[in-house]
Amino acid sequence: MRNLLSIADLTNDEIEHIFELADSAPKLGADNPATGQIMATLFYEPSTRTRLSFESAMHRLGGAVITCPDMKASSAAKGESLADTAKVVSSYADVLVVRHYWDGAVQAMAEHADVPVINAGDGSREHPTQTLCDLYTLRKEKGEIRGLTVVVCGDLKNGRTIHSLVFALARFGANVVTLAANGMELPQYVLERLEREYGYSLAPVASDDLTGVVTETDALYLTPKQPHQLALFTQLDAAMQTRLSTMVSGLRYDAFYMTRKQKERMKEGTTGGSYPTIGPKFLKEERFKDTVVMHPLPRVDELSPEVDKDRRGIYFKQAAYGVPVRMALLKFLFEQRDAKKTTAKKNANSYESPERLGPQCTNGNCVTVTEPRSTRRRFDLLSGGPSGALLLACSYCNHRFRVQFVGNVRSKHYCGYDIALADTVKDWFKKKELAIFDSIKEAEELGYEPYKSGPQRIIMDESEIQNALREMSQEILRDCQDPDRLLILGIRTKGSYLAQRVAAELEVDQKRRIEVGEIDIYGSADEIRRISSAYEDSPPISLKDREITLVDDVIYTGRTVKSALSIIFKAGRPQSVRLAVLIDRGHREVPVKPTYVGKHIPSSERERVRVKLREAERDEKDKVVIYSLISPAEARAERVG
Ligand code: CP
């Protein structure tokens, strides 16, 4: 069984084969190869071309189509998961065609479907069948793709058609000129993949080469001050790149690929600003006399209707090719049905955390973040990132981010990653002993200890901790407007113990029950739960109009608190949220300020401040200790020294 989730799922030879099938589409249709087959179209986002051309293609092949006209009227609206929808619909149909607004959502569905799944566009990630139409159109117009120079223009950041297209152009040996609207440049992960996998590098193109021909006068892009917005990807050697980069004109542009501003993927209030347009001016330039204008459509106002009448405007042809190309693709996938499933492509770098907690993709629109229950956190582990960083590339959305902490599952020790650990980590990875964590908190939740620590110093003892909690409780009461609305929420695990102690102080003072809950910042469901026994039979905690005090043991970067706050504001609208921490280490990556602090202990990244509580550490008294972290590599160096 073959899926088509990314353009990378097809080899160049397979793409050529699909194009040959498309060339003989009328004959293909006459053979009715899809008789008795059913295709289901599940479009969670609007579509005209992709959906209707797929449905038309299936009918022309003699097959049948079932669809859900509006996914908001499907059981998705009742909260059905992508996994369950995929499982169920794949028992009604022989192939699924899916479009979704989350990056990687179609892959998640493919992992649960029992029939081939075709990606009809997922978030801002890929739209591989549009790329097939684009390449087919280019091939029809220009004979072959190798050696062509294609200018991709407009919203290169959010345009999924662009991402699939540039990978494919690179594979077929075309040059790509990027001409991005201001702030909408190709994402870093796309650039990195182009370089890493296809050997493409960026070379600047003289910016006035294209100035004025694709823009209204107020457009912001293409000024000499912003040369990075105009760049050429090529596989040519360095000397040629230098020559190209100094050329003002003379570069032969074979195609201009225009895109719409993807407003649906932009945050409210950020959709304004100028945007490049193609109009009559472009058509009048002698050097563009053979440059075809393409657009995946729909267009808004970036492509003037004037171009429709010109022989170079080939975008309606490009849309019409959707039917023969998709007929050919369906025929190809039916032929391949017994081939090996391609979704769970295991490669030598594939990494899945051996622990319950592990790294999370940093792309907020990735399906692993928006619907973790339908996914597995799977990554590619990539060495050689900027400044020797170790990177993880999410296997659903391809976003890349740095590894922060590494641990060994056998020794249950962890440390911050740095380049000196490269060989050690490679060895752990080979032996399947590598745990990766986004934070120290995550490692410690699983009982990991620092890899090696310097001498410990007690900086708060039992009575100081007790006094600090008592004082914080009094301050909480002083600020509280209505104790009936008070809710003490601890961040699991140490914050939860401290929250219960704070609540106990308040109960003694107020002679009444105080509601206590805990937040699990790593949970995928039931993230806020009650922990006070007096409320056991009560309905779930309501946050509406509550005066919440969020409690944690230590604040440093502020990331943990930020995660907890986002869970709170997703779950309800409290009247207020205040923050109580036993220890404030100073230094923030996120602007979060605690309202109540037990003790300020300014400390560096290499130091670790650890709160030990009797509930968490058996046979221990309460104490706060400070020590330095020493990485395994440093420890080795010390021994050698
Ligand atoms: N090009 C494209 O994907 O068009 P639709 O959104 O209409 O399917």
Side-chain angles (χ1 to χ4, degrees), residues 91-110:
S91 65
Y92 304 154
D94 303 287
V95 59
L96 310 187
V97 179
V98 184
R99 173 172 287 186
H100 202 286
Y101 39 82
W102 290 335
D103 304 341
V106 185
Q107 176 167 326
M109 291 184 83

Side-chain angles (χ1 to χ4, degrees), residues 34-293:
T35 303
Q37 307 284 326
I38 297 175
M39 177 179 82
T41 48
L42 301 172
F43 278 61
Y44 293 79
E45 264 193 348
S47 165
T48 299
R49 272 146 296 276
T50 313
R51 180 182 194 143
L52 294 182
S53 63
F54 256 118
E55 294 183 355
S56 169
M58 189 62 176
H59 284 299
R60 286 180 194 274
L61 292 172
V65 177
I66 56 171
T67 189
C68 188
D70 176 6
M71 290 310 286
K72 287 198 195 87
S74 77
S75 287
K78 299 177 202 160
E80 182 167 63
S81 68
L82 294 173
D84 286 357
T85 304
K87 189 97 197 137
V88 169
V89 181
S90 65
S91 65
Y92 304 154
D94 303 287
V95 59
L96 310 187
V97 179
V98 184
R99 173 172 287 186
H100 202 286
Y101 39 82
W102 290 335
D103 304 341
V106 185
Q107 176 167 326
M109 291 184 83
E111 287 172 0
H112 298 274
D114 299 316
V115 296
V117 176
I118 300 173
N119 182 0
D122 63 325
S124 55
R125 201 182 76 97
E126 282 211 44
H127 190 351
T129 67
Q130 177 64 50
T131 295
L132 289 177
C133 298
D134 300 340
L135 295 179
Y136 186 72
T137 309
L138 272 172
R139 177 178 166 277
K140 281 270 187 204
E141 292 294 318
K142 299 286 177 187
E144 69 165 338
I145 298 159
R146 173 166 300 282
L148 294 181
T149 298
V150 179
V151 183
V152 291
C153 183
D155 184 353
L156 311 186
K157 179 179 174 193
N158 302 298
R160 57 193 170 205
T161 59
I162 291 290
H163 303 160
S164 296
L165 180 63
V166 295
F167 295 137
L169 288 172
R171 267 174 45 188
F172 277 92
N175 302 313
V176 183
V177 174
T178 66
L179 189 53
N182 200 21
M184 298 180 199
E185 290 82 9
L186 274 180
Q188 194 53 37
Y189 77 88
V190 174
L191 295 176
E192 219 213 59
R193 194 169 148 198
L194 278 168
E195 191 167 338
R196 200 183 277 265
E197 292 178 26
Y198 305 106
Y200 268 55
S201 56
L202 270 171
V205 175
S207 59
D208 55 349
D209 196 20
L210 293 166
T211 302
V213 289
V214 290
T215 178
E216 296 300 319
T217 48
D218 66 343
L220 288 176
Y221 75 111
L222 272 185
T223 66
K225 283 190 209 90
Q226 295 165 310
H228 64 284
Q229 297 201 344
L230 186 61
L232 176 81
F233 286 108
T234 178
Q235 271 180 324
L236 300 171
D237 63 33
M240 187 61 167
Q241 280 188 22
T242 313
R243 279 219 309 280
L244 279 173
S245 66
T246 53
M247 272 186 216
V248 171
S249 61
L251 201 57
R252 192 197 69 220
Y253 297 111
D254 298 290
F256 238 94
Y257 192 98
M258 195 67 192
T259 56
R260 168 181 68 89
K261 192 190 283 185
Q262 309 281 307
K263 286 189 179 165
E264 66 274 30
R265 297 190 211 296
M266 295 177 184
K267 285 198 189 102
E268 238 172 82
T270 63
T271 57
S274 61
Y275 197 80
T277 59
I278 286 198
K281 210 168 175 184
F282 175 91
L283 298 173
K284 284 187 198 120
E285 286 266 352
E286 172 61 17
R287 64 205 163 106
F288 296 127
K289 69 179 176 15
D290 293 322
T291 306
V292 293
V293 179

